[in-house]
Amino acid sequence: MKRFLTLLLAIAAICGASAQSGRMLTFDNPRVKIFLPPAGTANGKALVCCPGGGYSMVAKGHEGYDWAPFFNELGLAYAVVDYELPHGDRTIPMGDVAATFKILTDSAEIWGIKPDQIGIMGSSAGGHLASAVATHPTPKCSPAFQLLFYPVASLDAEITHKGTRKGFLGENSTDKNARLWSAENNVTATTPRAFIVHCADDKTVHPQNAIRYYSALQSAGVPVTMVLYPTGAHGWGYHKTFKYHDILLDEIATWLNGF
């Protein structure tokens, strides 16, 4: 059965709709679109993207699909997860992410992916989901690297985004449970390397989310790069109107090519 599924996925990859210069495949359970780089250009890396939206919606356009051509041109397979909202049940979106990892690993040989080179990306609340997966890995869902944009890395009441905390943990969340699902409290020496971007004038998600996570990663000896731009506020995603858009793309490309 697995061999038959792999064959079907291979046919879908060949016949899939165009995504600029690559190929696109669509899945319904979980809801995910996978953008593959042009044949012969894959570098073995893949990236699972979790767009933001405060766990009240999924901003899969500018924080998801719009990034596909950029990552494909770098040779990465790129998957955007339109995850189910948790409504207080964290296992729902985390399960969608894990299922996406399985899709990528099951077809890794066909799509030119190295199973140990699948990373995770997230923006805002999606950055929380990405960092939660990165700091709570499982044998079948263990990111190799993480790329986070203005992440709600912490659920600490002092600095978190309230809607993100409520959506992930529920209406009556406790500080104890919040600590368990705050990335800065769960870093170990084996936590995957990270690239974190935030803006100092972000009024929606406090920059301390990124700063605390960066500090925890650095203290644990995990390779980490943090870029803190002076302006830009929140939610810019792939928008070319973001003042540092071109600089950021160069920074990301350099980082991804460095390991």
Side-chain angles (χ1 to χ4, degrees):
M1 177 60 74
K2 182 177 179 181
R3 186 171 298 176
F4 178 68
L5 175 60
T6 300
L7 177 60
L8 289 178
L9 291 172
I11 294 172
I14 293 171
C15 301
S18 172
Q20 299 269 338
S21 58
R23 296 157 291 160
M24 182 184 74
L25 298 91
T26 301
F27 295 81
D28 294 325
N29 188 23
R31 295 192 303 265
V32 58
K33 290 185 186 295
I34 298 177
F35 301 84
L36 300 173
T41 66
N43 64 12
K45 292 187 177 74
L47 189 58
V48 174
C49 170
C50 305
Y55 288 136
S56 63
M57 51 85 72
V58 181
K60 51 188 181 290
H62 71 292
E63 292 181 348
Y65 304 145
D66 291 355
W67 283 95
F70 170 72
F71 289 115
N72 281 173
E73 287 170 10
L74 293 177
L76 280 76
Y78 176 70
V80 180
V81 189
D82 183 10
Y83 51 87
E84 292 283 349
L85 301 176
H87 299 296
D89 184 351
R90 59 176 174 77
T91 66
I92 295 173
M94 293 185 77
D96 284 347
V97 172
T100 302
F101 267 73
K102 186 177 189 304
I103 291 172
L104 293 174
T105 55
D106 282 351
S107 295
E109 185 175 352
I110 297 169
W111 294 340
I113 298 170
K114 298 176 181 177
D116 62 350
Q117 284 296 302
I118 302 174
I120 194 158
M121 164 180 159
S123 302
S124 196
H128 174 262
L129 180 57
S131 63
V133 171
T135 53
H136 295 79
T138 66
K140 294 184 178 181
C141 185
S142 183
F145 55 95
Q146 48 185 321
L147 180 58
L148 307 175
F149 303 117
Y150 39 89
V152 187
S154 180
L155 296 183
D156 184 332
E158 291 185 357
I159 63 170
T160 195
H161 177 260
K162 293 180 180 179
T164 297
R165 172 168 164 159
K166 177 181 175 182
F168 194 74
L169 296 179
E171 185 76 44
N172 300 312
S173 61
T174 65
D175 288 341
K176 180 179 180 180
N177 210 19
R179 285 192 295 272
L180 179 62
W181 293 101
S182 295
E184 74 271 22
N185 297 326
N186 295 283
V187 173
T188 70
T190 60
T191 299
R193 66 178 64 231
F195 186 102
I196 308 171
V197 187
H198 218 115
C199 293
D201 65 345
D202 190 334
K203 304 300 183 184
T204 302
V205 175
H206 199 294
Q208 278 295 325
N209 280 266
I211 293 169
R212 286 190 190 181
Y213 192 30
Y214 167 83
S215 297
L217 291 163
Q218 186 183 52
S219 295
V222 176
V224 54
T225 296
M226 179 173 168
V227 180
L228 183 65
Y229 293 117
T231 59
H234 187 81
W236 31 264
Y238 193 78
H239 287 322
K240 294 182 180 180
T241 53
F242 176 51
K243 180 178 180 179
Y244 304 100
H245 176 81
D246 292 340
I247 296 172
L248 176 60
L249 298 191
D250 288 342
E251 292 274 8
I252 294 171
T254 299
W255 183 73
L256 285 169
N257 289 329
F259 60 89

mmCIF file with all atom_site columns, all heavy atoms in Angstrom, residues 96-115:
data_model
loop_
_atom_site.group_PDB
_atom_site.id
_atom_site.type_symbol
_atom_site.label_atom_id
_atom_site.label_alt_id
_atom_site.label_comp_id
_atom_site.label_asym_id
_atom_site.label_entity_id
_atom_site.label_seq_id
_atom_site.pdbx_PDB_ins_code
_atom_site.Cartn_x
_atom_site.Cartn_y
_atom_site.Cartn_z
_atom_site.occupancy
_atom_site.B_iso_or_equiv
_atom_site.pdbx_formal_charge
_atom_site.auth_seq_id
_atom_site.auth_comp_id
_atom_site.auth_asym_id
_atom_site.auth_atom_id
_atom_site.pdbx_PDB_model_num
ATOM 1   N N   . ASP A 1 96  ? -1.632 18.396 12.476 1.00 0.00 ? 96  ASP A N   1
ATOM 2   C CA  . ASP A 1 96  ? -1.565 18.749 11.054 1.00 0.00 ? 96  ASP A CA  1
ATOM 3   C C   . ASP A 1 96  ? -0.117 18.939 10.608 1.00 0.00 ? 96  ASP A C   1
ATOM 4   O O   . ASP A 1 96  ? 0.253  18.541 9.499  1.00 0.00 ? 96  ASP A O   1
ATOM 5   C CB  . ASP A 1 96  ? -2.365 20.025 10.788 1.00 0.00 ? 96  ASP A CB  1
ATOM 6   C CG  . ASP A 1 96  ? -3.868 19.785 10.786 1.00 0.00 ? 96  ASP A CG  1
ATOM 7   O OD1 . ASP A 1 96  ? -4.282 18.609 10.753 1.00 0.00 ? 96  ASP A OD1 1
ATOM 8   O OD2 . ASP A 1 96  ? -4.624 20.782 10.811 1.00 0.00 ? 96  ASP A OD2 1
ATOM 9   N N   . VAL A 1 97  ? 0.681  19.555 11.461 1.00 0.00 ? 97  VAL A N   1
ATOM 10  C CA  . VAL A 1 97  ? 2.092  19.731 11.127 1.00 0.00 ? 97  VAL A CA  1
ATOM 11  C C   . VAL A 1 97  ? 2.796  18.377 11.039 1.00 0.00 ? 97  VAL A C   1
ATOM 12  O O   . VAL A 1 97  ? 3.558  18.106 10.099 1.00 0.00 ? 97  VAL A O   1
ATOM 13  C CB  . VAL A 1 97  ? 2.793  20.637 12.164 1.00 0.00 ? 97  VAL A CB  1
ATOM 14  C CG1 . VAL A 1 97  ? 4.301  20.659 11.928 1.00 0.00 ? 97  VAL A CG1 1
ATOM 15  C CG2 . VAL A 1 97  ? 2.235  22.050 12.099 1.00 0.00 ? 97  VAL A CG2 1
ATOM 16  N N   . ALA A 1 98  ? 2.529  17.512 12.018 1.00 0.00 ? 98  ALA A N   1
ATOM 17  C CA  . ALA A 1 98  ? 3.147  16.181 12.011 1.00 0.00 ? 98  ALA A CA  1
ATOM 18  C C   . ALA A 1 98  ? 2.749  15.395 10.765 1.00 0.00 ? 98  ALA A C   1
ATOM 19  O O   . ALA A 1 98  ? 3.581  14.697 10.157 1.00 0.00 ? 98  ALA A O   1
ATOM 20  C CB  . ALA A 1 98  ? 2.756  15.417 13.270 1.00 0.00 ? 98  ALA A CB  1
ATOM 21  N N   . ALA A 1 99  ? 1.486  15.510 10.358 1.00 0.00 ? 99  ALA A N   1
ATOM 22  C CA  . ALA A 1 99  ? 1.019  14.808 9.160  1.00 0.00 ? 99  ALA A CA  1
ATOM 23  C C   . ALA A 1 99  ? 1.711  15.339 7.912  1.00 0.00 ? 99  ALA A C   1
ATOM 24  O O   . ALA A 1 99  ? 1.989  14.580 6.971  1.00 0.00 ? 99  ALA A O   1
ATOM 25  C CB  . ALA A 1 99  ? -0.493 14.942 9.031  1.00 0.00 ? 99  ALA A CB  1
ATOM 26  N N   . THR A 1 100 ? 2.006  16.636 7.890  1.00 0.00 ? 100 THR A N   1
ATOM 27  C CA  . THR A 1 100 ? 2.720  17.221 6.758  1.00 0.00 ? 100 THR A CA  1
ATOM 28  C C   . THR A 1 100 ? 4.157  16.708 6.703  1.00 0.00 ? 100 THR A C   1
ATOM 29  O O   . THR A 1 100 ? 4.676  16.411 5.615  1.00 0.00 ? 100 THR A O   1
ATOM 30  C CB  . THR A 1 100 ? 2.702  18.754 6.856  1.00 0.00 ? 100 THR A CB  1
ATOM 31  O OG1 . THR A 1 100 ? 1.330  19.201 6.901  1.00 0.00 ? 100 THR A OG1 1
ATOM 32  C CG2 . THR A 1 100 ? 3.390  19.385 5.657  1.00 0.00 ? 100 THR A CG2 1
ATOM 33  N N   . PHE A 1 101 ? 4.792  16.588 7.851  1.00 0.00 ? 101 PHE A N   1
ATOM 34  C CA  . PHE A 1 101 ? 6.131  15.994 7.891  1.00 0.00 ? 101 PHE A CA  1
ATOM 35  C C   . PHE A 1 101 ? 6.097  14.579 7.322  1.00 0.00 ? 101 PHE A C   1
ATOM 36  O O   . PHE A 1 101 ? 7.002  14.169 6.591  1.00 0.00 ? 101 PHE A O   1
ATOM 37  C CB  . PHE A 1 101 ? 6.669  15.980 9.325  1.00 0.00 ? 101 PHE A CB  1
ATOM 38  C CG  . PHE A 1 101 ? 7.500  17.182 9.677  1.00 0.00 ? 101 PHE A CG  1
ATOM 39  C CD1 . PHE A 1 101 ? 6.902  18.422 9.888  1.00 0.00 ? 101 PHE A CD1 1
ATOM 40  C CD2 . PHE A 1 101 ? 8.873  17.090 9.798  1.00 0.00 ? 101 PHE A CD2 1
ATOM 41  C CE1 . PHE A 1 101 ? 7.658  19.540 10.200 1.00 0.00 ? 101 PHE A CE1 1
ATOM 42  C CE2 . PHE A 1 101 ? 9.644  18.198 10.126 1.00 0.00 ? 101 PHE A CE2 1
ATOM 43  C CZ  . PHE A 1 101 ? 9.032  19.430 10.319 1.00 0.00 ? 101 PHE A CZ  1
ATOM 44  N N   . LYS A 1 102 ? 5.045  13.838 7.642  1.00 0.00 ? 102 LYS A N   1
ATOM 45  C CA  . LYS A 1 102 ? 4.941  12.464 7.147  1.00 0.00 ? 102 LYS A CA  1
ATOM 46  C C   . LYS A 1 102 ? 4.812  12.422 5.621  1.00 0.00 ? 102 LYS A C   1
ATOM 47  O O   . LYS A 1 102 ? 5.415  11.572 4.953  1.00 0.00 ? 102 LYS A O   1
ATOM 48  C CB  . LYS A 1 102 ? 3.755  11.745 7.794  1.00 0.00 ? 102 LYS A CB  1
ATOM 49  C CG  . LYS A 1 102 ? 3.675  10.256 7.438  1.00 0.00 ? 102 LYS A CG  1
ATOM 50  C CD  . LYS A 1 102 ? 2.537  9.567  8.156  1.00 0.00 ? 102 LYS A CD  1
ATOM 51  C CE  . LYS A 1 102 ? 2.591  8.051  7.969  1.00 0.00 ? 102 LYS A CE  1
ATOM 52  N NZ  . LYS A 1 102 ? 2.591  7.650  6.544  1.00 0.00 ? 102 LYS A NZ  1
ATOM 53  N N   . ILE A 1 103 ? 4.014  13.334 5.073  1.00 0.00 ? 103 ILE A N   1
ATOM 54  C CA  . ILE A 1 103 ? 3.878  13.390 3.620  1.00 0.00 ? 103 ILE A CA  1
ATOM 55  C C   . ILE A 1 103 ? 5.243  13.625 2.972  1.00 0.00 ? 103 ILE A C   1
ATOM 56  O O   . ILE A 1 103 ? 5.610  12.974 1.988  1.00 0.00 ? 103 ILE A O   1
ATOM 57  C CB  . ILE A 1 103 ? 2.895  14.507 3.212  1.00 0.00 ? 103 ILE A CB  1
ATOM 58  C CG1 . ILE A 1 103 ? 1.460  14.138 3.627  1.00 0.00 ? 103 ILE A CG1 1
ATOM 59  C CG2 . ILE A 1 103 ? 2.941  14.750 1.699  1.00 0.00 ? 103 ILE A CG2 1
ATOM 60  C CD1 . ILE A 1 103 ? 0.465  15.273 3.440  1.00 0.00 ? 103 ILE A CD1 1
ATOM 61  N N   . LEU A 1 104 ? 6.006  14.541 3.532  1.00 0.00 ? 104 LEU A N   1
ATOM 62  C CA  . LEU A 1 104 ? 7.321  14.860 2.971  1.00 0.00 ? 104 LEU A CA  1
ATOM 63  C C   . LEU A 1 104 ? 8.303  13.709 3.115  1.00 0.00 ? 104 LEU A C   1
ATOM 64  O O   . LEU A 1 104 ? 9.053  13.396 2.179  1.00 0.00 ? 104 LEU A O   1
ATOM 65  C CB  . LEU A 1 104 ? 7.881  16.117 3.648  1.00 0.00 ? 104 LEU A CB  1
ATOM 66  C CG  . LEU A 1 104 ? 7.127  17.423 3.359  1.00 0.00 ? 104 LEU A CG  1
ATOM 67  C CD1 . LEU A 1 104 ? 7.691  18.553 4.202  1.00 0.00 ? 104 LEU A CD1 1
ATOM 68  C CD2 . LEU A 1 104 ? 7.203  17.784 1.886  1.00 0.00 ? 104 LEU A CD2 1
ATOM 69  N N   . THR A 1 105 ? 8.303  13.064 4.275  1.00 0.00 ? 105 THR A N   1
ATOM 70  C CA  . THR A 1 105 ? 9.245  11.963 4.470  1.00 0.00 ? 105 THR A CA  1
ATOM 71  C C   . THR A 1 105 ? 8.860  10.733 3.660  1.00 0.00 ? 105 THR A C   1
ATOM 72  O O   . THR A 1 105 ? 9.737  10.031 3.145  1.00 0.00 ? 105 THR A O   1
ATOM 73  C CB  . THR A 1 105 ? 9.349  11.590 5.963  1.00 0.00 ? 105 THR A CB  1
ATOM 74  O OG1 . THR A 1 105 ? 8.046  11.301 6.489  1.00 0.00 ? 105 THR A OG1 1
ATOM 75  C CG2 . THR A 1 105 ? 9.964  12.724 6.772  1.00 0.00 ? 105 THR A CG2 1
ATOM 76  N N   . ASP A 1 106 ? 7.561  10.486 3.505  1.00 0.00 ? 106 ASP A N   1
ATOM 77  C CA  . ASP A 1 106 ? 7.124  9.327  2.724  1.00 0.00 ? 106 ASP A CA  1
ATOM 78  C C   . ASP A 1 106 ? 7.541  9.436  1.260  1.00 0.00 ? 106 ASP A C   1
ATOM 79  O O   . ASP A 1 106 ? 7.780  8.413  0.601  1.00 0.00 ? 106 ASP A O   1
ATOM 80  C CB  . ASP A 1 106 ? 5.595  9.170  2.795  1.00 0.00 ? 106 ASP A CB  1
ATOM 81  C CG  . ASP A 1 106 ? 5.125  8.555  4.107  1.00 0.00 ? 106 ASP A CG  1
ATOM 82  O OD1 . ASP A 1 106 ? 5.986  8.099  4.881  1.00 0.00 ? 106 ASP A OD1 1
ATOM 83  O OD2 . ASP A 1 106 ? 3.897  8.531  4.346  1.00 0.00 ? 106 ASP A OD2 1
ATOM 84  N N   . SER A 1 107 ? 7.608  10.652 0.742  1.00 0.00 ? 107 SER A N   1
ATOM 85  C CA  . SER A 1 107 ? 7.966  10.854 -0.660 1.00 0.00 ? 107 SER A CA  1
ATOM 86  C C   . SER A 1 107 ? 9.325  11.531 -0.825 1.00 0.00 ? 107 SER A C   1
ATOM 87  O O   . SER A 1 107 ? 9.617  12.106 -1.870 1.00 0.00 ? 107 SER A O   1
ATOM 88  C CB  . SER A 1 107 ? 6.889  11.678 -1.363 1.00 0.00 ? 107 SER A CB  1
ATOM 89  O OG  . SER A 1 107 ? 5.676  10.970 -1.413 1.00 0.00 ? 107 SER A OG  1
ATOM 90  N N   . ALA A 1 108 ? 10.140 11.447 0.218  1.00 0.00 ? 108 ALA A N   1
ATOM 91  C CA  . ALA A 1 108 ? 11.422 12.144 0.207  1.00 0.00 ? 108 ALA A CA  1
ATOM 92  C C   . ALA A 1 108 ? 12.303 11.746 -0.975 1.00 0.00 ? 108 ALA A C   1
ATOM 93  O O   . ALA A 1 108 ? 12.907 12.600 -1.641 1.00 0.00 ? 108 ALA A O   1
ATOM 94  C CB  . ALA A 1 108 ? 12.165 11.882 1.520  1.00 0.00 ? 108 ALA A CB  1
ATOM 95  N N   . GLU A 1 109 ? 12.368 10.460 -1.259 1.00 0.00 ? 109 GLU A N   1
ATOM 96  C CA  . GLU A 1 109 ? 13.238 9.995  -2.343 1.00 0.00 ? 109 GLU A CA  1
ATOM 97  C C   . GLU A 1 109 ? 12.764 10.524 -3.696 1.00 0.00 ? 109 GLU A C   1
ATOM 98  O O   . GLU A 1 109 ? 13.569 10.951 -4.531 1.00 0.00 ? 109 GLU A O   1
ATOM 99  C CB  . GLU A 1 109 ? 13.285 8.470  -2.360 1.00 0.00 ? 109 GLU A CB  1
ATOM 100 C CG  . GLU A 1 109 ? 14.259 7.900  -3.383 1.00 0.00 ? 109 GLU A CG  1
ATOM 101 C CD  . GLU A 1 109 ? 14.378 6.386  -3.298 1.00 0.00 ? 109 GLU A CD  1
ATOM 102 O OE1 . GLU A 1 109 ? 13.824 5.783  -2.348 1.00 0.00 ? 109 GLU A OE1 1
ATOM 103 O OE2 . GLU A 1 109 ? 15.033 5.806  -4.180 1.00 0.00 ? 109 GLU A OE2 1
ATOM 104 N N   . ILE A 1 110 ? 11.456 10.522 -3.908 1.00 0.00 ? 110 ILE A N   1
ATOM 105 C CA  . ILE A 1 110 ? 10.898 10.990 -5.175 1.00 0.00 ? 110 ILE A CA  1
ATOM 106 C C   . ILE A 1 110 ? 11.110 12.485 -5.358 1.00 0.00 ? 110 ILE A C   1
ATOM 107 O O   . ILE A 1 110 ? 11.428 12.955 -6.460 1.00 0.00 ? 110 ILE A O   1
ATOM 108 C CB  . ILE A 1 110 ? 9.388  10.680 -5.233 1.00 0.00 ? 110 ILE A CB  1
ATOM 109 C CG1 . ILE A 1 110 ? 9.146  9.183  -5.192 1.00 0.00 ? 110 ILE A CG1 1
ATOM 110 C CG2 . ILE A 1 110 ? 8.740  11.288 -6.478 1.00 0.00 ? 110 ILE A CG2 1
ATOM 111 C CD1 . ILE A 1 110 ? 7.698  8.833  -4.976 1.00 0.00 ? 110 ILE A CD1 1
ATOM 112 N N   . TRP A 1 111 ? 10.941 13.240 -4.300 1.00 0.00 ? 111 TRP A N   1
ATOM 113 C CA  . TRP A 1 111 ? 10.981 14.695 -4.402 1.00 0.00 ? 111 TRP A CA  1
ATOM 114 C C   . TRP A 1 111 ? 12.362 15.276 -4.129 1.00 0.00 ? 111 TRP A C   1
ATOM 115 O O   . TRP A 1 111 ? 12.527 16.504 -4.092 1.00 0.00 ? 111 TRP A O   1
ATOM 116 C CB  . TRP A 1 111 ? 9.977  15.301 -3.424 1.00 0.00 ? 111 TRP A CB  1
ATOM 117 C CG  . TRP A 1 111 ? 8.549  14.984 -3.773 1.00 0.00 ? 111 TRP A CG  1
ATOM 118 C CD1 . TRP A 1 111 ? 8.067  14.574 -4.994 1.00 0.00 ? 111 TRP A CD1 1
ATOM 119 C CD2 . TRP A 1 111 ? 7.419  15.046 -2.902 1.00 0.00 ? 111 TRP A CD2 1
ATOM 120 N NE1 . TRP A 1 111 ? 6.713  14.382 -4.938 1.00 0.00 ? 111 TRP A NE1 1
ATOM 121 C CE2 . TRP A 1 111 ? 6.272  14.661 -3.664 1.00 0.00 ? 111 TRP A CE2 1
ATOM 122 C CE3 . TRP A 1 111 ? 7.234  15.389 -1.564 1.00 0.00 ? 111 TRP A CE3 1
ATOM 123 C CZ2 . TRP A 1 111 ? 4.992  14.611 -3.133 1.00 0.00 ? 111 TRP A CZ2 1
ATOM 124 C CZ3 . TRP A 1 111 ? 5.965  15.344 -1.027 1.00 0.00 ? 111 TRP A CZ3 1
ATOM 125 C CH2 . TRP A 1 111 ? 4.845  14.959 -1.800 1.00 0.00 ? 111 TRP A CH2 1
ATOM 126 N N   . GLY A 1 112 ? 13.365 14.432 -3.914 1.00 0.00 ? 112 GLY A N   1
ATOM 127 C CA  . GLY A 1 112 ? 14.715 14.931 -3.682 1.00 0.00 ? 112 GLY A CA  1
ATOM 128 C C   . GLY A 1 112 ? 14.915 15.570 -2.335 1.00 0.00 ? 112 GLY A C   1
ATOM 129 O O   . GLY A 1 112 ? 15.692 16.522 -2.187 1.00 0.00 ? 112 GLY A O   1
ATOM 130 N N   . ILE A 1 113 ? 14.202 15.055 -1.333 1.00 0.00 ? 113 ILE A N   1
ATOM 131 C CA  . ILE A 1 113 ? 14.287 15.593 0.025  1.00 0.00 ? 113 ILE A CA  1
ATOM 132 C C   . ILE A 1 113 ? 15.088 14.647 0.919  1.00 0.00 ? 113 ILE A C   1
ATOM 133 O O   . ILE A 1 113 ? 14.909 13.438 0.862  1.00 0.00 ? 113 ILE A O   1
ATOM 134 C CB  . ILE A 1 113 ? 12.873 15.775 0.624  1.00 0.00 ? 113 ILE A CB  1
ATOM 135 C CG1 . ILE A 1 113 ? 12.067 16.787 -0.200 1.00 0.00 ? 113 ILE A CG1 1
ATOM 136 C CG2 . ILE A 1 113 ? 12.940 16.201 2.088  1.00 0.00 ? 113 ILE A CG2 1
ATOM 137 C CD1 . ILE A 1 113 ? 10.599 16.840 0.184  1.00 0.00 ? 113 ILE A CD1 1
ATOM 138 N N   . LYS A 1 114 ? 15.949 15.211 1.745  1.00 0.00 ? 114 LYS A N   1
ATOM 139 C CA  . LYS A 1 114 ? 16.624 14.435 2.768  1.00 0.00 ? 114 LYS A CA  1
ATOM 140 C C   . LYS A 1 114 ? 15.756 14.501 4.036  1.00 0.00 ? 114 LYS A C   1
ATOM 141 O O   . LYS A 1 114 ? 15.531 15.596 4.556  1.00 0.00 ? 114 LYS A O   1
ATOM 142 C CB  . LYS A 1 114 ? 18.013 15.010 3.045  1.00 0.00 ? 114 LYS A CB  1
ATOM 143 C CG  . LYS A 1 114 ? 18.948 14.964 1.836  1.00 0.00 ? 114 LYS A CG  1
ATOM 144 C CD  . LYS A 1 114 ? 20.281 15.626 2.144  1.00 0.00 ? 114 LYS A CD  1
ATOM 145 C CE  . LYS A 1 114 ? 21.190 15.607 0.926  1.00 0.00 ? 114 LYS A CE  1
ATOM 146 N NZ  . LYS A 1 114 ? 22.470 16.323 1.184  1.00 0.00 ? 114 LYS A NZ  1
ATOM 147 N N   . PRO A 1 115 ? 15.274 13.363 4.524  1.00 0.00 ? 115 PRO A N   1
ATOM 148 C CA  . PRO A 1 115 ? 14.354 13.383 5.670  1.00 0.00 ? 115 PRO A CA  1
ATOM 149 C C   . PRO A 1 115 ? 14.902 14.101 6.904  1.00 0.00 ? 115 PRO A C   1
ATOM 150 O O   . PRO A 1 115 ? 14.108 14.614 7.709  1.00 0.00 ? 115 PRO A O   1
ATOM 151 C CB  . PRO A 1 115 ? 14.116 11.895 5.952  1.00 0.00 ? 115 PRO A CB  1
ATOM 152 C CG  . PRO A 1 115 ? 14.329 11.232 4.630  1.00 0.00 ? 115 PRO A CG  1
ATOM 153 C CD  . PRO A 1 115 ? 15.459 12.001 3.992  1.00 0.00 ? 115 PRO A CD  1
#
